[in-house]
Amino acid sequence: MGIRFILMVNKQGQTRLAQYFEYLTLEERRALEGEIVRKCLARNDQQCSFVEHRNYKIVYRRYASLFFLVGVDNEENELAILEFIHLLVETMDRHFGNVCELDIMFHLEKAHFMLEEMVMNGCIVETSKSNILTPIQLLDKAS
Amino acid sequence: MAGPSLMDSLFQRSLDDLIKGLRLHQPTSESTFISKSLDEIRREIKSTDPQTKSTALQKLNYLHSLHGLDMSWAAFHAIEVISSQNFQQKKVGYLAASLSFHSSTDVILLLTNQLRKDLSSNNVFEVSLALECLSMICTVDLARDLTPEIFTLLGSTKSFIKKKAIATVLRIFEKYPDAVRVCFKRLIENLESNDVGIVSAVMGVFCELALKEPKSYLPLAPEFYRILVDSRNNWVLIKVLKVFSKLAILEPRLAKRVVEPICEHMRRSGAKSLVFECVRTILSSLSEYESALKLAVEKVREFLVDDDPNLKYLGLQALSVVSLKHLWAVLENKDLVIKSLSDDDPNIKLEALQLVMAMVSEDNVHEICKVLISYALKSEPAFCNEILGSILSTCCRNVYEIIIDFDWYVSLLGEISRIPHCQNGEEIEKQLIDIGMRVKDVRSELVRVGRELLIDPALLGNPVIHRILSAAAWVSGEYVELSKNPFELMEALLQPRTILLPPSIRAIYVQSAFKVLIFCLYSYLFPDEAVASSPSLPVDLDPGVTSSISPKEFSESSDVVVTEPLADREMDEGFNPRDISQSLEDVSVGNGGDTVIAHEQTSCSATLKKDYFTQESIVKLLDLVERTLCPLMGTHEVEIQERVGNIRGLTELIKQELPEFLVHKERNVEGVKVKALEIVKLMHDAFLEELGPVSTSAQERVPIPEGLMLMENLGDLEGICGDIQLPIPSQFCFGMPHSGGRESTSLFNQQTDEESETSYECTSLLAEHRKRHGLYYLPSEKLETISNACPPAKDPQQSDDLNDDGQDLVKLTEQSLVPKKKPNRAKPRPVVVKLDEVDGITIAVSKPESKDYLISGAVREVLLGNEVSSAQHKLPDKSSNKRREKDKLDIDQPSDTKENLANVGKSETSTSKKSKHHIPGKERKHKSSRKNADEREDVQKDKTKSGHHNPRHKARQRADDNVDVIAQTPVIPDFLL
């Protein structure tokens, strides 16, 4: 299933966005997030961005105070996922203008909406920034 | 309770208010704020005003996804909000559904009609919301009921919708494989689309499908090939490469075609992700193409020298993919791999370690271990142990396959034991003993290493090393005749700090002390025979080194501990090892040779006899043993107490009779019988004999019936294979009495009498096990009846009754058991381990096959042009009967449309340009694959009737599947380029 989940976590380890593409119970999610965040946040900039955890590969990248963590299955191309994370950040940046943690907190639904445009069922379906943002912009105009 | 009032909707907290509130609160008061908000939400969500309701749900979404609050109770409200006319509200509802619904959410059924409505909406954004939600929460029922809508959307003219429908299809197939028959054709058409988004989505779907079961997608190779050559989108290319990496393994001709385009991408592309994917594809699936492989390895090297830790990590990973088949690729980058061992990143270090271990061969094992040990000393404890663990496991692989110089390896083990943080005590213990038993030539070195461990009192304080010490004690006792200084050994075994050892290991110490004592007495009392019986020492030890070690180390280490109980002046000399070596030297000098010390090192037993075992030293030894062991008589540990009791009995006897013997000896009287002498001789012989069955060389000489004495193995087995193996040991158990009893009855007399009961028990257990897991037993039922019918070998009457049968049966059992056991006898451990592995594999293989079976079956049908009316096809129904009746009316209608649609899809494809690929296959395969499909359906029906637990059906199903595959393979080449 390619991408299994996408997490955004701040430096303190608080989850700012969580999108799962497979069903996990609340307890499982909490445990998983805790373990992953502990593992990834302990690493420094000189270390690589890939961590193996349970049966996932975690690809993560840090932007200022926010960590973007993507859990993928073993077949996935790690570098492509890094590019995907970067694309996601660029897209958000274009929409919010200098995106920061607060933007995501206060516009969680929009962030989900963007993600849904980009990823469906764990597959990346859209990689063009303007295509991703068109529906949201329309929606903003309408409201 | 009053319903939600107007006030509620007027003064409702918005999501922004909630978030601001959460930010204001400290972590301590946060939970009370959340529960207060939750109360509000519960109230507001019941509101009749849709806006109030959706805002409440919006807040709940937020709390659920970021604060882990349960929202399953609001499932019905989510459905209400989804049905809203307002797009914003609908969106909130769909988000709630995709966040919280799952297959066991009961109200999910209420969503079917709303989804259907939104999927056919004119508003593309509504359709998109519904598709996104469906792709997340799809259940079997939803998939079945909404397949027609999805099929329609797959033909949509708007790529915005089409690509989402394509991505959703994957989930639909997973839940409802019959949808493949309806939708697959349209999916294939989209491979030719000009829209990058659509191709990307459709390749994503095929990639997932092909990773699970590649074979079925071989016919699509031409389409994939075109994408590989034409596409300029890296996302798409990566997916296509993944598909080819699976397909190329199956079809060599295809591999030949794709290898050049892949290399082209690798040369030209500037995107590291694409280059890496090419590299990985070539290393994993196309490594037999030499030029491609060389190019890929070049690229890997570029990754390895890059500063980016990500590339370094991936480069190492890529190398480990290829290390099994093409070790040269790793060796070429040896320098970089070894350098990575000291990287900052533990993940990179681990990858590098694995690669280093892959490089180990008998030629370089010394060099590599030396490097690794130096890295281990520098590393933090966790990685240090990782290194030591992999050294140990690599070196003992296949019964020490790569070790040529065991002397070196044994001293390496000694060195490892002394590394601080070493947590591998158990493994080292195992290997020390194992090597001692297997490799005769290394024993003297083993004894030397053991001595060094034993004489160091500091080691006794480290609990991690205790297991290693127990091995050292055992080795020293067992091979004491190779020891250079048994007295010193005795000192070490009895040193006061042994009190720090756990009782089980202390018992081993005491037992070893017993062996040493017997050896010393024997060598003293029977000097001539001692020379004859003890093997001469290998001369390759460096005498200078060893003699210099002993006094130096001792003066440092043992003074601390050993001296305190030595207040007794009389014992001083005998007790302190330093003094012993001192006195020895005196003796040697007294005997008039400066060279004696050197000789003493080289031919031990000869010098031992002459110089060591003087009356004085023996008396001292006895005193020492008595003095240190007597207090242990009072211990509560039975193992220790009993052994100490034995030793004490012996020493007292000797002490009584020694003077008498000495008198005789002085007078050179031959043939004097002294009781103690006989006991010593007896014990010595006993210890010598005991070596037989445990050492390799002795076991090889044992004839087959005796070789079946696998009692040790039974213990091993129980330890190794957790809960299921009760019957497995019994498999060995019933074999033993038969052959042993009939061919060399005397040997097993006692055993079989005692075990007749248990052996019956075992066989019945085995029978039960066979019944339950019949699948895993390859041999016929015959064996089973044998074991049930056959009496325990030593019951004469019964065996007479069944004699005729019995004889044949014994032969049979022998035939079936012996080949299994032969390797078992020579190398007991590896075989035991294998048993375990085989079990694991059968289980692992059987699962995935049955899981993806339905999808791939349907895919093959579609690809090979087989017509199957979906109406006649039985649905894999997991829902309750009640529900099915209710749905029945609904089902009939869609299935009609499905059939129509399927036909439409077919006619469309046959007009499309690529249909030429499919036509030959269609015609040729038509009959046989239809037959297969029918067969499969039968099996499925059987399966559903009998429940999923019958292994026989599973086996049959698998067999059918194989037939299917074999029948189809000849067709596939026709589809190729």
Side-chain angles (χ1 to χ4, degrees):
Chain A
M1 196 210 284
I3 298 174
R4 312 272 281 271
F5 58 80
I6 298 171
L7 295 176
M8 296 182 198
V9 178
N10 69 9
K11 261 195 305 195
Q12 288 77 44
Q14 290 167 306
T15 309
R16 287 293 170 234
L17 181 145
Q19 172 87 63
Y20 289 84
F21 296 96
E22 63 186 347
Y23 180 73
L24 295 175
T25 64
L26 276 175
E27 289 71 36
E28 287 168 333
R29 287 184 191 192
R30 214 173 291 150
L32 184 70
E33 284 172 28
E35 292 161 17
I36 291 173
V37 166
R38 219 172 305 129
K39 256 191 186 174
C40 294
L41 266 58
R43 296 168 63 81
N44 64 35
D45 291 345
Q46 278 77 51
Q47 300 179 342
C48 70
S49 308
F50 318 121
V51 176
E52 291 189 15
H53 183 74
R54 299 203 205 165
N55 48 344
Y56 304 108
K57 270 192 305 204
I58 317 291
V59 180
Y60 74 93
R61 199 157 183 167
R62 182 181 163 173
Y63 289 88
S65 65
L66 210 54
F67 283 83
F68 290 70
L69 307 134
V70 179
V72 295
D73 56 21
N74 265 318
E75 304 282 347
E76 201 55 58
N77 184 314
E78 294 92 336
L79 295 172
I81 297 296
L82 275 182
E83 283 169 37
F84 164 77
I85 294 178
H86 193 65
L87 176 72
L88 175 64
V89 176
E90 278 181 346
T91 312
M92 291 202 200
D93 216 40
R94 184 186 284 190
H95 183 74
F96 294 113
N98 243 333
V99 66
C100 69
E101 194 183 330
L102 280 183
D103 289 320
I104 296 170
M105 275 186 82
F106 281 98
H107 301 99
L108 188 66
E109 273 182 59
K110 272 188 195 161
H112 271 292
F113 202 62
M114 271 182 228
L115 269 184
E116 277 166 3
E117 287 300 315
M118 296 174 76
V119 187
M120 269 190 76
N121 196 15
C123 296
I124 294 168
V125 288
E126 186 55 75
T127 53
S128 138
K129 269 171 264 180
S130 50
N131 283 356
I132 298 168
L133 290 175
T134 317
I136 296 181
Q137 281 156 359
L138 277 174
L139 214 65
D140 280 352
K141 263 181 218 163
S143 58
Chain B
M1 196 173 118
S5 64
L6 184 64
M7 293 296 279
D8 279 334
S9 35
L10 273 180
F11 295 102
Q12 187 183 24
R13 239 193 261 262
S14 72
L15 178 60
D16 278 7
D17 298 334
L18 176 77
I19 298 170
K20 280 172 193 156
L22 279 171
R23 280 170 60 77
L24 283 177
H25 282 81
Q26 297 302 311
T28 42
S29 60
E30 197 185 69
S31 62
T32 51
F33 179 74
I34 288 177
S35 60
K36 210 179 110 210
S37 311
L38 193 61
D39 289 340
E40 282 172 16
I41 291 170
R42 278 180 193 276
R43 204 170 55 238
E44 291 160 10
I45 211 166
K46 289 186 195 127
S47 160
T48 46
D49 173 37
Q51 187 55 48
T52 314
K53 196 189 267 291
S54 88
T55 306
L57 192 62
Q58 200 179 18
K59 291 192 280 185
L60 191 58
N61 279 345
Y62 184 88
L63 290 176
H64 168 81
S65 70
L66 297 194
H67 295 269
L69 246 60
D70 176 46
M71 66 179 288
S72 55
W73 56 270
F76 184 75
H77 300 294
I79 292 183
E80 284 180 316
V81 176
I82 289 175
S83 63
S84 161
Q85 297 301 315
N86 179 313
F87 183 77
Q88 289 284 6
Q89 290 169 8
K90 193 188 273 292
K91 196 172 101 178
V92 171
Y94 270 123
L95 182 62
S98 53
L99 283 177
S100 67
F101 284 17
H102 53 95
S103 52
S104 50
T105 305
D106 42 7
V107 294
I108 213 167
L109 287 164
L110 303 176
L111 201 56
T112 315
N113 275 320
Q114 185 62 43
L115 278 171
R116 187 174 288 142
K117 206 174 126 202
D118 287 336
L119 285 175
S120 2
S121 160
N122 286 326
N123 181 342
V124 284
F125 298 109
E126 278 181 7
V127 180
S128 137
L129 279 184
L131 280 173
E132 276 153 11
C133 182
L134 185 62
S135 79
M136 302 277 285
I137 64 166
C138 191
T139 63
V140 177
D141 295 314
L142 282 177
R144 187 191 54 222
D145 295 342
L146 297 173
T147 298
E149 276 74 21
I150 299 295
F151 175 78
T152 318
L153 291 175
L154 281 177
S156 165
T157 49
K158 295 166 189 127
S159 76
F160 178 68
I161 295 300
K162 205 179 197 177
K163 69 179 188 223
K164 292 189 177 184
I166 291 168
T168 313
V169 154
L170 182 61
R171 188 61 69 98
I172 302 266
F173 283 178
E174 234 167 66
K175 297 289 172 188
Y176 178 63
D178 275 350
V180 171
R181 296 189 175 81
V182 182
C183 301
F184 204 69
K185 287 258 147 92
R186 283 216 166 155
L187 209 55
I188 298 172
E189 288 163 35
N190 284 317
L191 281 172
E192 310 214 323
S193 166
N194 292 322
D195 185 312
V196 178
I198 287 174
V199 177
S200 161
V202 83
M203 270 324 295
V205 172
F206 276 115
C207 183
E208 293 305 316
L209 289 173
L211 288 183
K212 282 178 188 151
E213 216 283 310
K215 201 164 227 140
S216 313
Y217 304 93
L218 266 177
L220 291 173
E223 280 82 1
F224 294 147
Y225 181 79
R226 201 182 43 71
I227 295 176
L228 177 71
V229 178
D230 293 347
S231 178
R232 284 288 160 268
N233 181 300
N234 291 341
W235 303 91
V236 175
L237 285 172
I238 287 172
K239 293 285 175 195
V240 165
L241 284 168
K242 282 188 188 301
V243 173
F244 274 123
S245 76
K246 297 288 169 191
L247 297 187
I249 300 172
L250 299 173
E251 179 50 63
R253 279 173 293 173
L254 181 61
K256 208 174 161 192
R257 283 301 294 269
V258 295
V259 74
E260 203 26 59
I262 293 178
C263 287
E264 199 49 39
H265 281 302
M266 196 158 41
R267 276 186 219 110
R268 274 212 324 240
S269 175
K272 288 273 191 288
S273 53
L274 181 60
V275 172
F276 177 63
E277 198 57 49
C278 293
V279 167
R280 192 145 65 179
T281 307
I282 285 180
L283 295 186
S284 66
S285 313
L286 299 164
S287 59
E288 60 271 28
Y289 295 92
E290 207 178 319
S291 60
L293 182 62
K294 273 194 179 138
L295 184 61
V297 173
E298 253 170 56
K299 291 284 172 189
V300 169
R301 196 171 171 93
E302 280 173 28
F303 279 23
L304 288 178
V305 295
D306 202 293
D307 284 336
D308 184 352
N310 290 337
L311 296 183
K312 205 181 279 179
Y313 176 79
L314 294 176
L316 292 171
Q317 246 188 2
L319 279 185
S320 66
V321 170
V322 84
S323 67
L324 268 185
K325 273 201 213 157
H326 303 275
L327 194 63
W328 63 265
V330 188
L331 291 171
E332 226 167 58
N333 296 301
K334 196 172 158 189
D335 48 335
L336 295 169
V337 172
I338 292 203
K339 211 177 114 203
S340 305
L341 277 177
S342 47
D343 200 276
D344 276 339
D345 185 345
N347 293 0
I348 291 182
K349 285 202 275 192
L350 276 182
E351 285 299 324
L353 178 61
Q354 272 175 23
L355 281 176
V356 171
M357 290 338 281
M359 283 190 276
V360 172
S361 71
E362 50 190 54
D363 304 322
N364 60 16
V365 62
H366 290 221
E367 180 200 351
I368 287 183
C369 285
K370 205 174 136 198
V371 172
L372 284 180
I373 295 279
S374 70
Y375 273 104
L377 288 169
K378 282 186 282 181
S379 307
E380 71 275 25
F383 188 60
C384 170
N385 273 309
E386 204 72 54
I387 293 181
L388 300 182
S390 40
I391 291 180
L392 291 172
S393 61
T394 307
C395 288
C396 79
R397 204 167 46 204
N398 285 341
V399 201
Y400 313 98
E401 197 180 40
I402 53 166
I403 306 290
I404 304 261
D405 182 356
F406 274 92
D407 284 350
W408 163 80
Y409 185 57
V410 167
S411 59
L412 179 76
L413 287 179
E415 204 182 314
I416 291 178
S417 317
R418 286 166 175 275
I419 290 177
H421 323 298
C422 170
Q423 299 285 339
N424 297 287
E426 209 163 315
E427 178 64 23
I428 297 177
E429 175 198 31
K430 206 182 85 194
Q431 292 195 10
L432 282 175
I433 292 176
D434 193 46
I435 292 175
M437 295 194 303
R438 285 174 190 278
V439 192
K440 206 173 173 186
D441 294 342
V442 80
R443 285 180 191 158
S444 58
E445 175 67 8
L446 205 54
V447 169
R448 190 191 66 78
V449 169
R451 168 192 168 275
E452 275 174 22
L453 291 169
L454 289 176
I455 59 172
D456 187 348
L459 295 181
L460 286 164
N462 181 357
V464 184
I465 288 180
H466 284 169
R467 300 290 298 263
I468 306 173
L469 290 178
S470 104
W474 183 85
V475 164
S476 307
E478 193 61 43
Y479 309 115
V480 58
E481 70 272 9
L482 301 170
S483 169
K484 290 186 200 71
N485 189 342
F487 299 114
E488 177 198 74
L489 191 60
M490 188 65 106
E491 301 279 348
L493 287 172
L494 298 178
Q495 61 181 294
R497 267 171 77 95
T498 53
I499 198 150
L500 296 168
L501 293 170
S504 59
I505 293 176
R506 217 169 172 205
I508 293 173
Y509 266 62
V510 174
Q511 183 71 7
S512 296
F514 190 28
K515 287 176 183 168
V516 175
L517 178 66
I518 291 288
F519 172 75
C520 292
L521 289 172
Y522 186 80
S523 307
Y524 173 61
L525 298 173
F526 305 94
D528 302 320
E529 286 166 59
V531 176
S533 68
S534 54
S536 63
L537 207 67
V539 205
D540 58 351
L541 296 168
D542 183 357
V545 173
T546 27
S547 59
S548 67
I549 284 174
S550 74
K552 198 170 56 189
E553 284 198 353
F554 251 78
S555 51
E556 289 169 352
S557 52
S558 49
D559 270 0
V560 194
V561 213
V562 180
T563 39
E564 37 186 337
L566 296 184
D568 193 342
R569 248 283 302 101
E570 210 181 51
M571 289 307 300
D572 207 21
E573 261 189 331
F575 214 94
N576 194 316
R578 196 166 32 150
D579 290 338
I580 273 204
S581 25
Q582 204 67 43
S583 65
L584 282 176
E585 270 170 58
D586 294 344
V587 174
S588 346
V589 172
N591 272 5
D594 290 326
T595 47
V596 175
I597 301 171
H599 283 306
E600 147 209 322
Q601 308 294 342
T602 49
S603 99
C604 171
S605 43
T607 23
L608 281 181
K609 184 199 70 174
K610 279 182 199 147
D611 307 332
Y612 280 35
F613 303 108
T614 60
Q615 184 191 348
E616 195 189 357
S617 62
I618 289 293
V619 170
K620 276 178 188 163
L621 183 72
L622 288 171
D623 281 346
L624 166 72
V625 170
E626 283 223 314
R627 272 170 41 83
T628 45
L629 287 183
C630 276
L632 286 177
M633 283 301 286
T635 178
H636 293 296
E637 295 296 335
V638 187
E639 288 291 325
I640 302 177
Q641 195 195 33
E642 180 151 346
R643 282 160 218 244
V644 169
N646 289 341
I647 298 183
R648 203 166 164 233
L650 183 74
T651 48
E652 294 204 333
L653 195 68
I654 300 276
K655 272 199 165 175
Q656 278 171 19
E657 298 191 357
L658 200 58
E660 190 188 338
F661 168 78
L662 290 172
V663 174
H664 289 303
K665 202 184 178 190
E666 268 170 27
R667 291 182 196 156
N668 274 331
V669 181
E670 291 293 325
V672 189
K673 298 267 177 190
V674 183
K675 208 163 124 205
L677 280 191
E678 288 198 23
I679 291 177
V680 168
K681 193 166 195 293
L682 207 70
M683 290 306 300
H684 184 257
D685 290 349
F687 283 146
L688 268 189
E689 259 175 45
E690 226 174 304
L691 280 171
V694 284
S695 77
T696 350
S697 57
Q699 265 194 343
E700 272 161 17
R701 269 180 264 117
V702 179
I704 289 174
E706 277 175 297
L708 292 177
M709 205 161 71
L710 290 164
M711 293 312 282
E712 298 148 295
N713 266 355
L714 298 186
D716 275 357
L717 267 175
E718 258 163 352
I720 289 168
C721 13
D723 41 346
I724 40 146
Q725 72 312 113
L726 234 189
I728 294 174
S730 69
Q731 213 174 354
F732 295 96
C733 195
F734 69 75
M736 188 185 62
H738 292 320
S739 29
R742 278 160 204 276
E743 279 160 45
S744 60
T745 34
S746 60
L747 235 170
F748 286 95
N749 261 354
Q750 292 174 320
Q751 235 171 355
T752 33
D753 276 343
E754 282 167 9
E755 282 181 3
S756 57
E757 287 281 304
T758 43
S759 130
Y760 267 125
E761 216 174 293
C762 289
T763 44
S764 70
L765 270 173
L766 177 68
E768 207 178 293
H769 186 260
R770 269 170 189 279
K771 233 182 249 169
R772 256 194 297 154
H773 306 276
L775 186 66
Y776 301 115
Y777 286 89
L778 291 175
S780 63
E781 302 283 331
K782 251 184 184 172
L783 196 64
E784 187 189 327
T785 38
I786 295 158
S787 35
N788 279 333
C790 219
K794 265 329 282 174
D795 196 338
Q797 274 152 3
Q798 275 191 37
S799 70
D800 275 348
D801 292 342
L802 297 164
N803 209 5
D804 288 355
D805 282 353
Q807 289 296 353
D808 293 344
L809 297 176
V810 166
K811 270 181 209 156
L812 270 175
T813 27
E814 261 168 8
Q815 278 165 7
S816 52
L817 287 176
V818 163
K820 247 191 272 172
K821 278 186 181 166
K822 250 181 185 162
N824 211 354
R825 187 164 45 83
K827 308 165 177 177
R829 269 182 329 111
V831 173
V832 171
V833 174
K834 251 182 208 159
L835 250 180
D836 217 11
E837 267 171 19
V838 167
D839 268 3
I841 285 165
T842 23
I843 293 163
V845 166
S846 64
K847 274 181 184 164
E849 268 193 14
S850 58
K851 203 175 148 194
D852 298 315
Y853 164 76
L854 285 169
I855 297 184
S856 55
V859 167
R860 278 185 209 143
E861 273 171 29
V862 175
L863 282 176
L864 301 170
N866 188 26
E867 260 183 60
V868 172
S869 72
S870 38
Q872 133 200 3
H873 215 84
K874 218 181 169 188
L875 306 169
D877 204 335
K878 282 173 197 163
S879 59
S880 68
N881 287 338
K882 239 194 212 167
R883 265 217 52 277
R884 271 182 60 201
E885 277 167 22
K886 221 166 89 187
D887 279 355
K888 221 162 195 173
L889 284 174
D890 285 343
I891 296 170
D892 281 344
Q893 202 201 344
S895 58
D896 272 347
T897 31
K898 256 182 252 167
E899 211 172 12
N900 293 340
L901 292 172
N903 287 336
V904 171
K906 191 149 294 163
S907 56
E908 271 176 20
T909 14
S910 57
T911 54
S912 81
K913 51 182 171 173
K914 68 166 175 4
S915 62
K916 57 179 179 278
H917 298 304
H918 294 272
I919 287 167
K922 230 184 235 175
E923 282 165 4
R924 205 179 309 168
K925 272 311 296 169
H926 193 89
K927 273 182 193 167
S928 69
S929 66
R930 189 190 195 133
K931 210 171 129 200
N932 282 335
D934 289 345
E935 271 173 24
R936 247 180 281 136
E937 266 186 62
D938 287 346
V939 176
Q940 270 173 44
K941 276 176 199 160
D942 280 359
K943 213 174 128 194
T944 25
K945 266 183 219 158
S946 60
H948 292 251
H949 295 294
N950 196 329
R952 256 161 242 257
H953 282 288
K954 243 189 226 165
R956 215 174 116 201
Q957 190 188 342
R958 217 176 305 153
D960 280 358
D961 203 16
N962 285 340
V963 170
D964 203 8
V965 168
I966 291 159
Q968 287 183 9
T969 33
V971 190
I972 287 160
D974 291 349
F975 296 116
L976 294 174
L977 322 167

